[in-house]
């Protein structure tokens, strides 16, 4: 009998009890939630924190001298420290609260508008989400910098030889996701960061899809910027984190004007507040920030190694089972993947597949996943994407496989 | 010639014969497969309906004061929905099309496709059909 490393096993049944939504039915069928790459579900422990905030100490922060305001400020700043520690960020003031990944990317892109010059080059990868393409296109239009693209290979990985050829002393910025949202490919960001630094450029890594599966250490990575969203990792929507190296955060101008981000205001001149407040204008998503901290506590209590090991097991199980279905093709077959299976069945439109699966209570994502360049590469209208989390089970994957077969029989 | 409400009532009665969603969808898929082909020359960007996850092309011609619709899609369930719409609206005068309500979609158990979050663009298709009716009505009045 093969020995099982008990430190890596995970009590899924107990974990599922933490997620009230997993008990509901959809179209009279038990919900099978496989759209985790779009948003993860929320455990009771995080829901309780949200309810507690609004029931007991809802107040604006950093301003009031009254007790509620101080309690809320303390909880918000403690959450910042939890996030800081989680990503091994050197200082709390380099841990900026944002409205989410897209917001974080836009803070950096708009900041670089005052740094880039015509002739500079910005490199993005072909595996990017639209949110990580559009801001750079706008930035390049504004500054006259050139946008270059690292092409992808048929197995869904980046063409690293082509990347080497794109790098030069003109390269000022490289933007790449840690994990592709459409395919689940884990990109070689360590290599990209090292090589970009060697030519004097900076790297922003979009960690939205990686954060629920991989605990990133921003210092070990030596990355210049790292952005995530709370709602992909058991937290609420509308809140995220931007990490930046201190030299960059000092250099970049504020993104928005407003309260919190100022030091002194007269009609002649305003001086900006120090970090992190320079980038946190206005009343933030206080409850969201606190709940983000609680979500990290929840996931860390289970342990990211355990989560990754279990999700990998789900990925291998689903890949093998789905591949046995006639005419099914999986897109993205990198040896390094998170628990995402993007697929199509020959002769079946992904939209039709998604519609039938929904009727069976199975939630998957269909379409281009906001990554149209990848779909253009494969010359397909989109894919069906099943993305797994640590609270999913092999039995649920069996339901998916049965559902796909049933839909296939109906549609062909 | 049957009126739009009469045709819609017929469709509602057909769908009432089915016991569950599976049979309804199987019927829609059948309808989709039997949808008359659209002339290939109309399967261009110009005739595409935006806002659909699947591609949908709709073309309209005026034939003796009545509008004839043809349409196609790359997704089969969407084709089934189109087939139902075409049966309901094609061969009708512009004013009748403009006056028609679309609550029969709800009655045949396809209510979920009317939600704005649905990417199949049923709402966009109905809008496009009504726009054609507005255009042909205006054209007729100018002549």
């Amino acid at each position: 009998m093969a020995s099982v490393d008990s430190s890596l096993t995970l009590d899924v049944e107990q974990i599922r009890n933490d997620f009230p939504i997993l008990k509901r039915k959809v179209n009279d069928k038990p919900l099978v939630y496989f759209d985790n790459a779009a948003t993860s579900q929320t455990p009771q422990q995080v829901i309780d924190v949200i309810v507690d905030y609004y029931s007991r100490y809802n107040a604006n922060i950093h301003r009031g001298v009254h007790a509620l305001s101080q309690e809320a400020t303390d909880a918000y700043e403690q959450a910042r420290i939890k996030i800081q520690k989680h990503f091994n960020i050197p200082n709390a003031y380099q841990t900026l609260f944002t409205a989410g990944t897209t917001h974080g990317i836009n803070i950096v892109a708009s900041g670089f508008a005052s740094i880039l010059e015509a002739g500079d080059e910005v490199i993005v990868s072909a595996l990017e989400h639209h949110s990580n393409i559009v801001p750079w296109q706008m930035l390049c239009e504004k500054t006259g910098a050139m946008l270059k693209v690292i092409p992808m290979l048929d197995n869904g990985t980046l063409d690293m030889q082509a990347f080497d050829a794109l790098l030069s002393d003109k390269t000022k910025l490289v933007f790449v996701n840690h994990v592709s949202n459409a395919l689940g490919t884990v990109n070689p960001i360590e290599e990209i960061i090292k090589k970009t630094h060697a030519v004097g450029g900076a790297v922003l890594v979009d960690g939205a899809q990686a954060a629920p599966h991989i605990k990133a250490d921003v210092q070990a990575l030596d990355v210049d910027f790292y952005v995530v969203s709370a709602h992909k990792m058991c937290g609420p929507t509308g809140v995220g984190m931007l990490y930046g190296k201190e030299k960059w955060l000092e250099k970049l101008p504020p993104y928005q004007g407003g309260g919190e981000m100022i030091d002194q205001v007269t009609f002649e001149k305003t001086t900006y507040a120090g970090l992190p407040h320079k980038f946190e204008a206005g009343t933030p998503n206080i409850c969201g920030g606190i709940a983000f901290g609680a979500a990290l506590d929840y996931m860390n209590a289970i342990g990211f190694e355990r989560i990754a090991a279990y999700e990998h097991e789900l990925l291998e199980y689903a890949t093998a089972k789905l591949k046995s279905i006639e005419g099914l093709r999986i897109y993205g077959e990198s040896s390094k993947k998170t628990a995402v299976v993007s697929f199509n069945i020959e002769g079946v439109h992904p939209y039709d597949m998604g519609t039938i699966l929904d009727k069976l209570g199975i939630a998957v994502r269909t379409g281009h996943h906001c990554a149209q360049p990848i779909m253009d590469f494969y010359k397909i209208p989109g894919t069906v994407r099943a993305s797994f989390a640590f609270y999913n089970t092999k039995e649920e994957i069996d339901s998916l496989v049965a559902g796909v077969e049933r839909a296939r029989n109906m549609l062909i | 010639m049957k009126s739009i409400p009469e045709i819609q009532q017929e469709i509602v009665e057909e769908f009432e014969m089915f016991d569950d969603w599976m049979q309804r969808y199987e019927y829609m898929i059948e309808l989709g497969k039997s949808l008359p082909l659209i002339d290939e020359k109309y399967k261009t960007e110009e005739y595409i309906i935006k806002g659909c996850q699947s591609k949908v092309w709709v073309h309209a011609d005026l034939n003796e004061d009545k509008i004839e619709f043809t349409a196609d899609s790359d997704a089969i369930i969407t084709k089934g929905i189109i087939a139902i719409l075409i049966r309901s609206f094609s061969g009708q005068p512009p004013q009748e099309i403009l006056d028609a309500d679309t609550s029969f979609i709800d009655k045949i158990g396809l209510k979920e496709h009317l939600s704005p979050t649905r990417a199949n663009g049923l709402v966009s298709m109905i809008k496009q059909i009504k726009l054609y009716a507005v255009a042909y009505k205006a054209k007729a009045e100018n002549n």
Side-chain angles (χ1 to χ4, degrees), chain B residues 52-66:
Chain B
C52 308
Q53 216 179 75
S54 47
K55 284 187 175 159
V56 178
W57 302 268
V58 176
H59 178 256
D61 257 331
L62 197 66
N63 186 4
E64 295 179 1
D65 300 334
K66 288 174 181 141

Side-chain angles (χ1 to χ4, degrees), chain B residues 35-89:
Chain B
L35 183 71
L37 293 178
I38 189 173
D39 196 321
E40 280 297 316
K41 71 180 177 197
Y42 298 127
K43 280 172 81 166
T44 60
E45 277 298 309
E46 203 182 327
Y47 295 96
I48 215 157
I49 295 182
K50 305 274 181 205
C52 308
Q53 216 179 75
S54 47
K55 284 187 175 159
V56 178
W57 302 268
V58 176
H59 178 256
D61 257 331
L62 197 66
N63 186 4
E64 295 179 1
D65 300 334
K66 288 174 181 141
I67 305 181
E68 303 282 350
F69 290 101
T70 52
D72 199 2
S73 170
D74 57 350
I76 193 71
I77 293 172
T78 312
K79 274 178 90 162
I81 292 170
I82 295 170
I84 292 166
L85 290 180
I86 287 190
R87 187 165 143 203
S88 170
F89 296 114

Side-chain angles (χ1 to χ4, degrees), chain A residues 27 29 349-356 358-360 365-368 381 406 410-412, chain B residues 21-22 24-26 29 33 53-55 74-78 81 109 112-113 118-120:
Chain A
N27 292 319
K29 308 273 189 321
H349 195 284
Y351 168 76
D352 289 328
M353 178 59 72
T355 304
I356 302 292
D358 172 57
K359 281 282 169 194
L360 295 165
R365 174 86 187 264
T366 63
H368 55 57
R406 189 166 170 186
M410 280 176 80
L411 293 163
I412 287 185
Chain B
W21 71 268
M22 185 115 176
R24 279 199 295 274
Y25 271 75
E26 273 168 351
I29 292 163
K33 286 177 181 165
Q53 216 179 75
S54 47
K55 284 187 175 159
D74 57 350
I76 193 71
I77 293 172
T78 312
I81 292 170
E112 68 247 35
H113 292 281
R118 274 283 158 177
N120 72 5

Side-chain angles (χ1 to χ4, degrees), chain A residues 152-156 183 319 322-333 337 341-348 350 353 374-375 377-380 382-385 404 408:
Chain A
M152 61 183 279
L153 301 171
D154 201 51
N155 66 358
L183 307 177
T319 305
L322 285 167
K323 268 190 169 170
S324 67
I325 297 173
E326 198 187 330
L328 189 140
R329 175 178 174 187
I330 290 175
Y331 297 91
E333 297 194 277
K337 265 180 78 170
V341 186
S342 217
F343 65 91
N344 272 330
I345 286 195
E346 205 183 339
V348 175
M353 178 59 72
I374 299 179
M375 303 305 136
F377 175 85
Y378 289 120
K379 296 187 176 60
I380 50 175
T383 67
V384 181
R385 182 188 70 187
V404 169
R408 184 183 177 279

Side-chain angles (χ1 to χ4, degrees), chain A residues 53-70:
Chain A
Y53 171 80
Y54 283 110
S55 314
R56 224 167 40 79
Y57 62 103
N58 175 32
N60 211 331
I61 54 168
H62 298 145
R63 296 187 178 116
V65 293
H66 58 82
L68 262 53
S69 174
Q70 292 196 358

